[in-house]
Amino acid sequence: MLKAIYRIAWKDVAGDLRRRATLSSMLFFAISVLIVFQAAFEPDRKEALRLLPGLLWATTLFTTLVGLGRVFQAEEEDGAFEGLLLASVPRGVIFFGKWLGNLLLTLLVEFLILPLTLVLFNVDAWSHVPAILGILTLGTLGLTGLGTLLAAMTRGARSRETLLALLLLPLTAPMLIAGVQAIAGVLLQNGAVEPWLKLLIIFDLVYLAMAPWAFGWLVEE
Amino acid sequence: MKILKKIQTLLGVATLVLLAVGLWFVYNAPEDFQQGGAVRILYIHVPSAKMALLSYLFLTVASALYLWKRSETADILAEAATSVGAAFTAITLASGSIWGKPMWGTWWAWDARLTSMLVLLILFKGLMVLRNSMDDPVKGARATAILAIIGAVDLPIIHYSVVWWRTLHQPPSMAASGNAGVHISGPLLPPLLILSGAFMLMGLYMVTVKARQIEARRRLDALESARMHPDE
């Protein structure tokens, strides 16, 4: 089981690392979002520190959409998706494989984007980098879980990427609120981090428990 | 579906009567000592909010039934409940906003219930768009049903996360075991109860009309595709 998950994930990640298609478009898209925020808000150092949690999560969320638009791209042609479904493992395992591939790419982009944001916005929060990365990772687990499911759901729909954004953004509201509050709590050192981490964990558990099941229903013929 | 045709007129008449009685009570109800006449907006606002949530509940049950039994009727009812729910959610948001301006001094606040309701509206819209953007109606129906159930699980999480985030809206004023918060007083209650009933009938009536419309459209589509591809 674990091997099948790993194989499917590695197929996507290795393929992408060689072509650098998804990774580089996510990365450069994230940088463009940062430029937009800088131009729109022109924060000074103090404001940048206050804006940082929202900035990071908004950039992550938009960037995830770029990655999710391509989750099933490798399976688009020649009936490759049906081929994948024929694999002699439960459908949930196939879902976890696709999810893991997307998760790894998204995390990689987040880890590259965080130092870049701190540099570009002149924020001195280097001592909090591990905590921030931890919170970003925690939120990204559920975010990519829900996202991969919605990507499977909108496969074959017209104007798929717009639809994906319309469906994903409202459902991720709890993750966004909890994630922003948790990072703000870390930066301001006001101690209100733990309840938000719990909410993030609940969010992750709910989606990662529900998504494989829903994926099975979705691809059933 | 045939039963819907039979009850449609009856439902429509009952809705009209109950709405008329309820509005008569609203017209004659005393003004609130703090809110004045603006309290009357709540007689529309509260029943619509109830109906918005009830529609989602109905949608969830119909979706689960569709996934379980593959019954087309359940799918038609789910599709009908989606548009009806969206309408009630929009009415709730609009009426709340109009009430909020004189009472809170602002059209909109990022409060727990307002935010959840706005998310609910986007969710209803998403369900409608998802269904319409699939070329294969069966795939569209299945994807929509799954999304509706995911939404049903997510809505409480959304609600509690925004409750922790910020709260301005007063606690429920009709609940019997409320805290020491706001309570609705005697003479203001009957119109609210009657209108809640009237809105419930109205919701059922709207679902009935919409469901029959959808069924007719699907039959037309089937005829059309049979005409286009006679050999299939």
Side-chain angles (χ1 to χ4, degrees):
Chain A
M1 294 286 172
L2 284 177
K3 200 166 179 184
I5 294 178
Y6 161 80
R7 282 272 161 79
I8 296 172
W10 187 242
K11 164 184 84 72
D12 287 353
V13 174
D16 197 77
L17 287 180
R18 276 169 208 156
R19 282 180 294 125
R20 289 189 196 82
T22 308
L23 192 65
S24 65
S25 44
M26 277 171 95
L27 196 59
F28 283 97
F29 182 79
I31 296 172
S32 341
V33 172
L34 288 178
I35 295 174
V36 169
F37 278 131
Q38 169 62 34
F41 298 116
E42 289 189 80
D44 60 32
R45 276 177 167 229
K46 210 173 147 221
E47 285 169 339
L49 189 66
R50 202 194 75 79
L51 288 178
L52 188 67
L55 214 70
L56 284 171
W57 276 112
T59 312
T60 302
L61 202 55
F62 293 141
T63 311
T64 313
L65 283 174
V66 176
L68 287 174
R70 297 171 178 237
V71 173
F72 287 100
Q73 202 183 35
E75 274 86 11
E76 213 94 298
E77 284 167 26
D78 302 329
F81 189 69
E82 283 68 28
L84 184 65
L85 292 183
L86 284 177
S88 61
V89 287
R91 296 279 155 82
V93 170
I94 297 177
F95 171 81
F96 276 124
K98 296 301 287 181
W99 165 71
L100 187 62
N102 181 251
L103 175 72
L104 291 176
L105 286 177
T106 312
L107 284 180
L108 192 56
V109 174
E110 282 170 16
F111 285 23
L112 292 172
I113 278 298
L114 176 61
L116 206 60
T117 312
L118 294 184
V119 170
L120 287 178
F121 283 84
N122 251 323
V123 186
D124 184 22
W126 294 100
S127 53
H128 299 303
V129 163
I132 296 176
L133 283 181
I135 295 167
L136 280 176
T137 308
L138 197 60
T140 308
L141 292 175
L143 174 64
T144 49
L146 174 64
T148 307
L149 177 68
L150 293 179
M153 196 177 271
T154 51
R155 230 175 53 88
R158 287 186 298 272
S159 63
R160 195 187 61 202
E161 310 221 332
T162 321
L163 185 58
L164 191 60
L166 181 66
L167 300 183
L168 183 70
L169 297 182
L171 290 177
T172 48
M175 185 225 60
L176 195 60
I177 292 172
V180 168
Q181 297 299 326
I183 294 184
V186 166
L187 287 178
L188 303 173
Q189 308 257 314
N190 59 5
V193 178
E194 201 180 318
W196 299 114
L197 290 184
K198 278 185 190 151
L199 186 60
L200 278 180
I201 293 171
I202 293 173
F203 181 83
D204 290 345
L205 286 180
V206 166
Y207 279 118
L208 292 179
M210 218 165 38
W213 164 85
F215 182 78
W217 274 101
L218 198 66
V219 297
E220 196 181 301
E221 284 307 319
Chain B
M1 284 291 132
K2 270 188 186 140
I3 184 164
L4 290 186
K5 190 176 176 185
K6 280 184 193 153
I7 61 170
Q8 184 179 329
T9 318
L10 189 69
L11 264 178
V13 173
T15 307
L16 269 180
V17 171
L18 212 54
L19 268 180
V21 174
L23 288 175
W24 184 83
F25 266 94
V26 169
Y27 187 73
N28 290 294
E31 293 192 347
D32 184 271
F33 83 103
Q34 276 181 326
Q35 301 182 16
V39 74
R40 296 189 214 282
I41 298 169
L42 297 184
Y43 294 121
I44 302 298
H45 176 71
V46 176
S48 331
K50 281 183 198 307
M51 282 314 295
L53 294 177
L54 267 181
S55 307
Y56 203 93
L57 190 67
F58 186 93
L59 166 66
T60 313
V61 173
S63 301
L65 263 179
Y66 172 70
L67 285 180
W68 183 32
K69 297 275 189 198
R70 294 286 151 87
S71 114
E72 169 140 34
T73 312
D75 183 46
I76 290 176
L77 287 176
E79 187 177 349
T82 310
S83 5
V84 172
F88 278 119
T89 313
I91 292 173
T92 309
L93 285 169
S95 60
S97 194
I98 296 168
W99 179 87
K101 185 61 187 166
M103 291 306 130
W104 290 345
T106 173
W107 296 107
W108 184 263
W110 288 102
D111 154 78
R113 293 199 195 181
L114 281 77
T115 313
S116 321
M117 268 292 169
L118 190 59
V119 171
L120 184 65
L121 183 65
I122 304 174
L123 192 56
F124 273 129
K125 184 66 197 166
L127 286 162
M128 289 153 94
V129 177
L130 178 64
R131 185 187 286 276
N132 291 331
S133 60
M134 295 292 215
D135 289 326
D136 178 358
V138 177
K139 268 191 180 162
R142 199 182 297 163
T144 315
I146 292 171
L147 183 63
I149 293 173
I150 293 174
V153 177
D154 200 39
L155 279 172
I157 308 181
I158 294 176
H159 185 73
Y160 284 107
S161 63
V162 278
V163 164
W164 290 344
W165 188 38
R166 40 192 59 172
T167 294
L168 172 66
H169 199 294
Q170 57 264 59
S173 46
M174 276 168 78
S177 62
N179 41 17
V182 193
H183 266 278
I184 189 159
S185 79
L188 301 181
L189 199 53
L192 194 52
L193 289 178
I194 295 171
L195 275 182
S196 295
F199 269 58
M200 222 173 276
L201 282 180
M202 180 157 72
L204 275 177
Y205 177 68
M206 285 160 80
V207 168
T208 306
V209 173
K210 190 80 194 165
R212 293 189 59 212
Q213 219 176 59
I214 293 165
E215 197 207 6
R217 201 200 57 221
R218 289 189 185 185
R219 282 227 302 275
L220 269 178
D221 285 348
L223 284 174
E224 174 78 9
S225 76
R227 192 176 64 87
M228 300 292 277
H229 314 279
D231 41 323
E232 268 175 24

